[in-house]
Amino acid sequence: PIIMVTARGSTADKIRGLELGADDYLSKPFDPKELIARVRTVLRRAKPSPFRLKSAPRTIRFDDWTLDIERRAVISPANRLVSLSAVEFKLLMTFLQHVGEPISRPALLEHMGEPDSQDRLADLQVSRLRSKLKTGNRRCGFIKTIRHVGYKFDAKVLPQ
């Protein structure tokens, strides 16, 4: 968990800090008791739930590809490691969690952490991901464009 403690207290600064991944944001000056209460709250939220799975899959297979979650990379059918940017990884994880479901561009932007961006950013990132997921001269066939809607991931997915 991350709590940002800073002298910058404008609303825009707070929003930016939270969008960058902070779990809480506290502006100076502050009461030390408030900081302690916020630390306790963030730690309480961060405790693992007893209902979670004991071990999450480390890889996910889709078609002839394998996503290595720890390395944030995919392994091609030719057994070649393809690195993904943070945004490409989030995008692929979103597709893998919504296999067969149409996903709108605004929803993709939300999952990528860019909710206020224009739809063209989603198109650009999907294009980049597709280029990394092509096999030889064959296009990536499992990310389908749905006109006037967004995209759909159409592949057989198997957690390992």
Side-chain angles (χ1 to χ4, degrees), residues 4-20:
M4 292 185 81
V5 178
T6 177
R8 303 186 90 165
S10 73
T11 302
D13 291 326
K14 290 177 184 178
I15 291 169
R16 181 80 173 133
L18 293 169
E19 285 180 346
L20 287 172

Side-chain angles (χ1 to χ4, degrees), residues 82-114:
V82 179
S83 296
L84 299 175
S85 71
V87 172
E88 292 163 347
F89 177 79
K90 287 179 188 176
L91 186 59
L92 183 55
M93 286 299 293
T94 301
F95 281 132
L96 290 169
Q97 292 166 350
H98 298 88
V99 174
E101 300 173 23
I103 306 173
S104 69
R105 287 173 177 85
L108 285 175
L109 290 168
E110 185 76 33
H111 286 282
M112 291 186 311
E114 299 284 343

Side-chain angles (χ1 to χ4, degrees), residues 9 15 28 36 39 41 48 53 102 113 118 127 131 135 143 146 148:
I15 291 169
K28 294 178 185 176
I36 291 169
V39 168
T41 300
L53 295 173
Q118 294 183 0
S127 174
S131 70
T135 308
I143 300 176
I146 302 175
H148 303 296

Side-chain angles (χ1 to χ4, degrees), residues 14-80:
K14 290 177 184 178
I15 291 169
R16 181 80 173 133
L18 293 169
E19 285 180 346
L20 287 172
D23 296 294
D24 202 348
Y25 192 102
L26 189 60
S27 300
K28 294 178 185 176
F30 57 86
D31 186 324
K33 292 177 185 174
E34 181 182 4
L35 175 61
I36 291 169
R38 288 177 183 260
V39 168
R40 286 184 180 141
T41 300
V42 170
L43 289 175
R44 186 172 51 245
R45 278 186 284 182
K47 281 186 181 176
S49 168
F51 300 107
R52 288 190 185 159
L53 295 173
K54 297 257 188 236
S55 64
R58 293 184 178 171
T59 61
I60 301 173
R61 289 197 45 82
F62 57 99
D63 279 359
D64 294 329
W65 293 79
T66 303
L67 173 65
D68 185 326
I69 295 171
E70 290 178 3
R71 286 198 258 180
R72 291 181 171 241
V74 288
I75 302 165
S76 73
N79 210 23
R80 186 176 57 96

Side-chain angles (χ1 to χ4, degrees), residues 118-137:
Q118 294 183 0
D119 289 352
R120 299 303 300 163
L121 178 63
D123 296 336
L124 175 66
Q125 293 299 339
V126 167
S127 174
R128 288 179 178 168
L129 181 61
R130 278 178 169 158
S131 70
K132 288 188 175 184
L133 297 178
K134 69 180 186 179
T135 308
N137 291 333

